[in-house]
Amino acid sequence: SKYLIDAVLEDIPSKIGRMLDLGCGYGAVGIIMKRLCPALSVMLCDINERAVSLARRNADLNQVLFVDILHSDGFAAITGSFDLILTNPPIRAGKQTVYRFFSDAARQLKPEGSLYVVIRKQQGAPSAFKKLQELFSDVRVLDRKAGYWVIKAVAARP
């Protein structure tokens, strides 16, 4: 998650807009992004109710206000579109779930919005990259560190 956050902060020119932490777990990515970029409108979601509860608790403990934290199976309970979607996808849930995250994100991004994914090479980064190329016209690896790839996929212009 640290590699993801570092790469996104280095890559995004503007620290404003609407951001989703997809599959947030205990909320580290979304909470840190909101702390470092307070002008971002940040939403976090996870299918696991305990994870959502922990994310809310962590937001409170870190005094991070004005974040929406939702219980949602992917985008099932999510409305609207996003400038940024960040995910450390649930690899153990299987490729079908991870690829659903990618395809749903492609539909929920604003034109020229960006999906950022962190994934270990040994857990499918090369195949995830290929899948993202099927869904997005602009896909690139922003960083490779310690076996992790941070991949950026940009939604097409209208």
Side-chain angles (χ1 to χ4, degrees):
S1 294
K2 179 184 180 342
Y3 298 141
L4 175 64
I5 294 165
D6 289 346
V8 171
L9 290 173
E10 189 175 313
D11 187 61
I12 58 174
S14 174
K15 309 290 194 271
I16 60 171
R18 190 164 187 238
M19 189 207 100
L20 174 67
D21 179 357
L22 178 60
C24 68
Y26 59 86
V29 170
I31 290 167
I32 291 169
M33 288 297 295
K34 182 63 176 178
R35 276 302 282 253
L36 297 176
C37 308
L40 276 177
S41 173
V42 176
M43 178 181 288
L44 297 81
C45 74
D46 201 286
I47 190 172
N48 184 300
E49 289 185 31
R50 184 163 188 260
V52 170
S53 177
L54 288 170
R56 287 183 179 135
R57 183 166 186 245
N58 285 329
D60 288 342
L61 288 172
N62 287 282
Q63 300 175 351
V64 174
L65 305 174
F66 310 112
V67 293
D68 294 317
I69 304 172
L70 303 173
H71 176 248
S72 182
D73 180 2
F75 286 90
I78 306 296
T79 59
S81 57
F82 296 90
D83 300 289
L84 305 169
I85 298 175
L86 281 61
T87 189
N88 183 347
I91 298 301
R92 287 174 180 76
K95 273 188 180 181
Q96 184 177 5
T97 300
V98 173
Y99 289 179
R100 180 172 49 95
F101 270 31
F102 297 168
S103 61
D104 290 351
R107 287 189 291 278
Q108 295 292 135
L109 280 169
K110 293 179 181 178
E112 299 185 44
S114 298
L115 169 66
Y116 294 88
V117 179
V118 64
I119 189 167
R120 288 186 68 203
K121 180 179 180 185
Q122 296 83 352
Q123 291 181 322
S127 61
F129 185 84
K130 287 179 186 172
K131 181 62 177 180
L132 288 166
Q133 286 181 311
E134 293 173 16
L135 299 166
F136 295 87
S137 59
D138 181 7
V139 180
R140 59 186 169 264
V141 177
L142 290 181
D143 200 4
R144 290 183 182 144
K145 250 184 226 167
Y148 290 91
W149 293 16
V150 177
I151 304 169
K152 177 183 181 181
V154 180
R157 291 180 176 167

